[in-house]
Amino acid sequence: MSDSRHMTKELCHELGAIRERCSVVRWASVVTQLRLAGEVSVRNGESLLRAEFRALDTAIRWRDDVTRFFSESRLWSDVTAVRGSVDRYSVQIRSRGVDLARGTGLLDRLTHPISSLPTRLLTAGPVGAAGVWRGALLASGDLGKLAGRIRLGVVCPSTATAMALVGTARDLGALATSQETIRMHRVVVRDPDSVNSLLLGVGAFRTAEKLSHYEATSWVRVAARQNLTALNARRVAEASDRATPRAHWALETLGKQVPDNLYEAGALRMKHPSLPLSELSRLATPPLTKDALAGRLRRLIQLAEKQHREFKN
């Protein structure tokens, strides 16, 4: 594998070549690409869909998918190159009336834009999640290496959209976190197992295989250079890296229903994300053993997962 841009291009090429038969997956991908890479509006009694893509084949594929879904409507579309240092391709699709705009699910009854993704996509389970993340990666995803480890990221237009991607990632067996800066909203998948689950879920089997090979060979090189103490420190850091966003999600899911002892454990994990359990347990009131704190964090996650399943059912 080479640099981030090349890895991302290979991923998008693989996703763009998929011929999906499930209409739910195709529609979820189309709508997510529009939410992340464009906008939908109603102007002068005319629906307007506008999106901008990094690759010409992605732009043409998206236009064709929209046209197929609205084959009974009279649509006008064009694809143009956008001038700049990086190749971009703009797609505009127009139609008389508001049916096209409302049909995307990205406008409310008063034709005002919604800040997230349509609810019916977010509640469609793994099938809808596969389409959502396939569209997100095609629209604004990036795949690369940070400090020798694989990272998968997506730039989002709003916090609501970022949280929608975090939720759908769980439906694919992946743990994603939302990051917000002054310039952008971003969803990141750091854990190698989560990256692998997500890529398999969206159908990027070839990319997942390459990354698995890279992770395996990279681990051998690192192990050859480091002693046992350094390896243990890395495992502790990775465990903390995975536990912190899970604790954050669990507290958000449970809200006021979380027991006090479990809330304290989750809050400690979030406040000190880099501390190992052996040190974190000493900060509890009263101090706990490492195993006791681990047990509380485990029960917190289990309780949140149970409530999440009951809500979906």
Side-chain angles (χ1 to χ4, degrees):
M1 305 298 289
S2 57
D3 60 11
S4 175
R5 187 172 179 180
H6 178 67
M7 294 167 70
T8 302
K9 185 176 180 179
E10 284 193 342
L11 171 61
C12 291
H13 180 74
E14 182 178 8
L15 294 178
I18 296 174
R19 295 298 178 259
E20 180 61 56
R21 296 182 178 180
C22 177
S23 60
V24 175
V25 177
R26 293 202 316 270
W27 181 241
S29 177
V30 167
V31 173
T32 304
Q33 288 178 73
L34 179 58
R35 163 57 69 224
L36 269 63
E39 60 179 355
V40 55
S41 60
V42 175
R43 300 176 185 174
N44 301 321
E46 182 180 77
S47 294
L48 174 62
L49 275 57
R50 179 184 300 164
E52 194 172 293
F53 299 96
R54 296 170 291 191
L56 179 59
D57 56 347
T58 304
I60 294 175
R61 174 78 178 274
W62 182 79
R63 180 200 61 185
D64 293 344
D65 283 341
V66 173
T67 302
R68 277 194 291 268
F69 274 110
F70 291 93
S71 58
E72 297 180 1
S73 303
R74 187 177 180 185
L75 306 179
W76 295 267
S77 65
D78 57 72
V79 180
T80 57
V82 180
R83 293 182 179 180
S85 57
V86 180
D87 292 339
R88 306 288 293 186
Y89 300 90
S90 176
V91 183
Q92 290 193 38
I93 302 176
R94 303 179 300 280
S95 175
R96 292 176 183 172
V98 299
D99 290 345
L100 174 61
R102 284 180 174 170
T104 65
L106 297 177
L107 298 181
D108 61 19
R109 289 180 298 177
L110 300 177
T111 68
H112 296 152
I114 65 172
S115 58
S116 184
L117 292 169
T119 304
R120 61 192 175 108
L121 296 184
L122 303 182
T123 56
V127 175
V132 166
W133 267 93
R134 187 179 296 172
L137 293 172
L138 284 169
S140 60
D142 63 82
L143 179 64
K145 295 179 288 186
L146 180 62
R149 297 180 62 192
I150 298 298
R151 293 290 187 274
L152 190 64
V154 175
V155 177
C156 300
S158 65
T159 301
T161 306
M163 295 311 299
L165 290 183
V166 170
T168 50
R170 287 196 294 269
D171 290 331
L172 296 175
L175 182 63
T177 57
S178 175
Q179 298 177 346
E180 183 176 351
T181 66
I182 297 178
R183 297 177 56 188
M184 69 176 67
H185 304 273
R186 184 176 173 84
V187 174
V188 178
V189 183
R190 300 185 181 91
D191 177 61
D193 291 336
S194 290
V195 172
N196 185 67
S197 296
L198 199 57
L199 291 175
L200 294 177
V202 300
F205 303 110
R206 186 172 65 251
T207 301
E209 183 179 0
K210 287 183 178 181
L211 293 184
S212 296
H213 176 72
Y214 169 81
E215 286 289 340
T217 55
S218 177
W219 178 257
V220 171
R221 290 194 300 268
V222 171
R225 294 194 306 263
Q226 295 179 334
N227 57 33
L228 181 61
T229 302
L231 288 175
N232 287 335
R234 175 177 173 174
R235 294 191 186 102
V236 170
E238 290 177 342
S240 300
D241 193 35
R242 292 191 296 267
T244 300
R246 288 178 62 83
H248 181 265
W249 169 78
L251 292 177
E252 282 191 339
T253 300
L254 294 172
K256 296 182 179 179
Q257 301 179 27
V258 58
D260 291 341
N261 61 333
L262 302 187
Y263 176 84
E264 181 187 18
L268 272 175
R269 181 73 282 172
M270 291 171 57
K271 186 176 181 180
H272 306 283
S274 61
L275 287 183
L277 284 176
S278 57
E279 297 181 23
L280 193 66
S281 59
R282 302 192 190 105
L283 300 180
T285 306
L288 301 171
T289 64
K290 172 185 174 181
D291 291 339
L293 180 60
R296 291 187 181 184
L297 289 172
R298 186 165 54 251
R299 290 196 298 274
L300 174 66
I301 301 299
Q302 292 172 346
L303 190 62
E305 290 176 341
K306 179 181 178 183
Q307 179 170 308
H308 181 66
R309 288 194 300 270
E310 293 174 349
F311 176 80
K312 289 175 64 176
N313 295 332

